[in-house]
Amino acid sequence: MTYCGDRKQLKIAIIGAGPAGLGTAIELAKLPFIQWDLYEKRSNLSEIGGGFTLQPQTWRILEHNGVAKDLCAQDYYRSAEGLVEQRRNGRTGELLIEKCNPEDVPASRHSCRLARAKLQRAMMNSVDESHIYLSKRLVDFEHLPDNRVRILIEDGTIDDVDLLIAADGIRSLIRKTCFPQHTLRFNGQFVYRTIVSQDEASKIEGIPWAPVFWKHVSGLYVFTCPLGDNDFEVTARIRRPAGHQEPVSWGRPVDLEGVLPEYDDFCPPVREILRLAARGDTQEFALHSGPRLDHVVHHGNIAFIGDASHALLGNFGSGAGFALEDVFALTRVIQWAWMRGKQLVDALSLFDSIRSPHYGRLYQTIDKFANIKAALRTEGLLINDEIAERVRRISLASESWMFYYDIDKAVEKVLQDTNATNAGSETAETPQRAISSEGNCLGQLDQTVTDTREPYGMGFSV
Ligand SMILES: Cc1cc2nc3c(=O)[nH]c(=O)nc-3n(C[C@H](O)[C@H](O)[C@H](O)COP(=O)(O)OP(=O)(O)OC[C@H]3O[C@@H](n4cnc5c(N)ncnc54)[C@H](O)[C@@H]3O)c2cc1C
């Protein structure tokens, strides 16, 4: 077993304290054979970015990692009728389509919308902050001859670790370094996000108390939705040709007033709520995306999770859920490998085999939507017809499997298949005896670690 060597613990560095990094910190803290530290470049953990949808599959994981208990009903907005979202014609207000939660999804996992800061606060309740280091920007890393990775922080801090977890977001430095051929591209769209008060929003006639996309053509839309407490979200998206330089804004404060004329063709309630938003604090996000990575691991000692592993750009409105699924899969296979005296590279290879195809399917779905939109643009329909047709065709082509995905079952299947393959090729040794035979690992294994192979829904405990 080379990955523990004669060291007492598996040493891990997590880069980034977004949902992916914090989720990892929560899970790794449950594994007594792991020593972890998290490095975050920002000087505080205050959140940017407005509202956030928690989809059923995200709730599933939040229940598992214990964060759900720190989110109370007033923290978020959830439709009492099980409504997921409405799509309306932004010019006329006409309701085009309504999506509801499937009947077999328990009400406690129905999708809901909340301010990002609320999710982060709930996650922080479960994190051991003594291992989180702020104002620590990763600037470089190198592979050491003994299979470890040396990370270099801007302030001169150096840390040698067995595993580097890249949770450094869509503009991941680690991804850029490991996969230099992978590039991010500005996709021509800006998003403006503002949180206003529910008291003010409720005075505007014609704004439904629901998640509503007010659609126009060419990617132009406004999204309105109550959040928890007294918050109400107003998000506007716009397509603009890039200037000479690619925009780099991400959460930049901006005066929404200057953008309002672009929405003159929208119906009165939308124009009014945008005027309300223009009196608040708006942040601008220039959207970038990039192709799929063939692999979400590198060199046997780096794992990519969350936005660092896929530049999907907020598509599906479930990035936090995807990030937490990555965390679940990664921590589970690490535990599995440790229990069986396997090597870290085996764990990462399993992680890759679970997550890479998942992202492959998501990218395929996005390609399908892009083709539909491109075809529509060539048909020369009248604006209202194009809006309605776009919503109809996207809805027909839409897939919702990702919102009800059971990561625990996917992981268990891969582990069971691997166990079965190993059982065929190894002597019939029990897992526990296999660990015993690894000598130097047995003494490090805390006896409270149990080899739980049931899905966590049935009682995962470490
Ligand atoms: C417009 C928009 C709307 C979205 N809506 C939703 C939604 O409704 N629901 C949803 O689930 N998701 C949504 N998402 C996606 C969601 O924001 C992301 O998928 C999610 O934040 C990914 O989490 P992460 O931890 O991977 O990355 P991030 O949240 O980006 O966190 C990365 C962290 O790494 C830190 N970091 C970066 N580089 C370094 C470095 N070199 N050294 C140290 N630290 C570093 C950053 O400061 C940051 O804290 C949306 C995204 C966009 C753009």
Side-chain angles (χ1 to χ4, degrees):
M1 168 124 188
T2 56
Y3 89 87
C4 61
D6 57 3
R7 290 187 300 281
K8 290 270 183 262
Q9 292 179 307
L10 185 68
K11 199 165 181 304
I12 296 181
I14 308 162
I15 307 298
L22 292 179
T24 310
I26 292 170
E27 287 304 308
L28 291 186
K30 297 173 187 169
L31 301 178
F33 57 87
I34 283 174
Q35 183 200 331
W36 63 273
D37 292 296
L38 188 155
Y39 300 95
E40 164 59 48
K41 69 179 179 187
R42 287 182 288 148
S43 57
N44 60 56
L45 290 178
S46 66
E47 262 299 343
I48 55 169
F52 219 59
T53 301
L54 297 183
Q55 304 280 6
Q57 107 277 19
T58 315
W59 274 110
R60 194 178 165 81
I61 300 195
L62 293 176
E63 285 164 18
H64 156 66
N65 66 15
V67 172
K69 71 173 177 352
D70 289 316
L71 285 168
C72 57
Q74 74 253 27
D75 284 337
Y76 49 80
Y77 163 80
R78 175 181 276 151
S79 152
E81 295 78 35
L83 180 72
V84 172
E85 67 183 36
Q86 291 183 346
R87 294 197 170 223
R88 290 176 177 264
N89 180 322
R91 306 174 81 217
T92 63
E94 181 194 358
L95 177 63
L96 299 171
I97 228 150
E98 263 188 349
K99 239 173 74 182
C100 291
N101 284 283
E103 279 178 8
D104 59 348
V105 173
S108 60
R109 289 186 188 158
H110 280 182
S111 61
C112 73
R113 191 100 183 148
L114 77 173
R116 274 182 75 117
K118 294 258 173 65
L119 174 64
Q120 190 190 42
R121 191 204 57 205
M123 293 186 85
M124 287 304 293
N125 277 348
S126 300
V127 172
D128 177 358
E129 287 187 52
S130 67
H131 290 274
I132 296 188
Y133 303 96
L134 299 176
S135 301
K136 298 279 183 186
R137 178 193 293 270
L138 176 85
V139 286
D140 204 356
F141 58 92
E142 59 178 297
H143 294 283
L144 300 174
D146 62 355
N147 283 339
R148 285 189 296 163
V149 190
R150 169 163 296 171
I151 64 165
L152 308 168
I153 303 295
E154 198 170 33
D155 65 2
T157 305
I158 289 178
D159 197 2
D160 295 346
V161 296
D162 301 290
L163 173 62
L164 171 61
I165 298 184
D168 51 343
I170 192 148
R171 288 145 203 267
S172 168
L173 168 86
I174 307 173
R175 181 179 62 218
K176 209 181 293 174
T177 310
C178 293
F179 305 106
Q181 73 286 5
H182 184 275
T183 47
L184 283 185
R185 194 178 57 84
F186 173 53
N187 81 347
Q189 293 173 340
F190 287 90
V191 170
Y192 299 93
R193 316 186 86 184
T194 320
I195 294 182
V196 300
S197 85
Q198 287 190 6
D199 296 340
E200 293 290 320
S202 62
K203 290 182 197 152
I204 300 175
E205 209 175 311
I207 295 289
W209 222 241
V212 184
F213 282 94
W214 306 86
K215 304 289 280 184
H216 205 286
V217 292
S218 302
L220 188 67
Y221 73 66
V222 175
F223 175 75
T224 55
C225 185
L227 303 173
D229 294 325
N230 193 30
D231 294 335
F232 190 99
E233 172 181 7
V234 183
T235 290
R237 192 178 75 177
I238 215 164
R239 183 178 294 281
R240 289 243 185 80
H244 293 301
Q245 269 194 317
E246 291 240 313
V248 291
S249 65
W250 190 250
R252 182 177 69 170
V254 73
D255 183 359
L256 192 62
E257 199 67 48
V259 183
L260 293 189
E262 314 256 7
Y263 294 89
D264 279 351
D265 197 32
F266 279 70
C267 58
V270 177
R271 293 205 310 270
E272 202 175 329
I273 202 150
L274 283 173
R275 279 197 296 274
L276 173 65
R279 300 205 297 270
D281 297 326
T282 301
Q283 291 175 333
E284 179 188 70
F285 297 82
L287 300 187
H288 291 70
S289 59
R292 180 168 92 86
L293 289 177
D294 290 335
H295 297 287
V296 292
V297 297
H298 184 73
H299 214 271
N301 52 18
I302 299 178
F304 292 84
I305 61 171
D307 283 5
S309 77
H310 58 269
L312 277 172
L313 237 197
N315 267 300
F316 307 107
S318 200
F322 300 150
L324 294 175
E325 286 171 0
D326 290 339
V327 170
F328 179 86
L330 181 61
T331 50
R332 196 86 174 88
V333 296
I334 289 174
Q335 182 192 15
W336 173 90
W338 184 270
M339 297 294 295
R340 283 166 180 74
K342 301 281 181 193
Q343 302 200 12
L344 180 59
V345 70
D346 299 323
L348 295 196
S349 155
L350 286 178
F351 172 65
D352 192 39
S353 75
I354 296 165
R355 295 311 281 165
S356 286
H358 188 78
Y359 287 120
R361 283 181 78 189
L362 292 177
Y363 270 88
Q364 273 171 14
T365 310
I366 290 173
D367 290 347
K368 196 167 64 174
F369 292 162
N371 291 338
I372 290 172
K373 291 171 190 168
L376 259 175
R377 281 196 290 272
T378 65
E379 292 178 22
L381 298 175
L382 295 173
I383 294 187
N384 285 348
D385 294 340
E386 184 175 331
I387 294 170
E389 203 43 28
R390 193 183 167 109
V391 168
R392 191 184 70 81
R393 290 189 202 175
I394 293 285
S395 163
L396 280 176
S398 85
E399 298 173 23
S400 55
W401 56 269
M402 63 289 290
F403 304 130
Y404 312 106
Y405 181 69
D406 291 347
I407 182 65
D408 49 326
K409 292 198 180 122
V411 172
E412 291 315 312
K413 167 132 190 25
V414 166
L415 293 186
Q416 273 167 17
D417 290 351
T418 310
N419 288 339
T421 310
N422 288 349
S425 59
E426 289 169 2
T427 54
E429 223 176 1
T430 65
Q432 202 56 43
R433 284 179 56 209
I435 293 168
S436 306
S437 70
E438 289 296 331
N440 61 355
C441 287
L442 180 64
Q444 299 154 18
L445 196 61
D446 186 311
Q447 293 307 309
T448 60
V449 178
T450 51
D451 183 13
T452 51
R453 271 179 270 179
E454 305 86 358
Y456 64 72
M458 292 168 60
F460 182 101
S461 69
V462 177

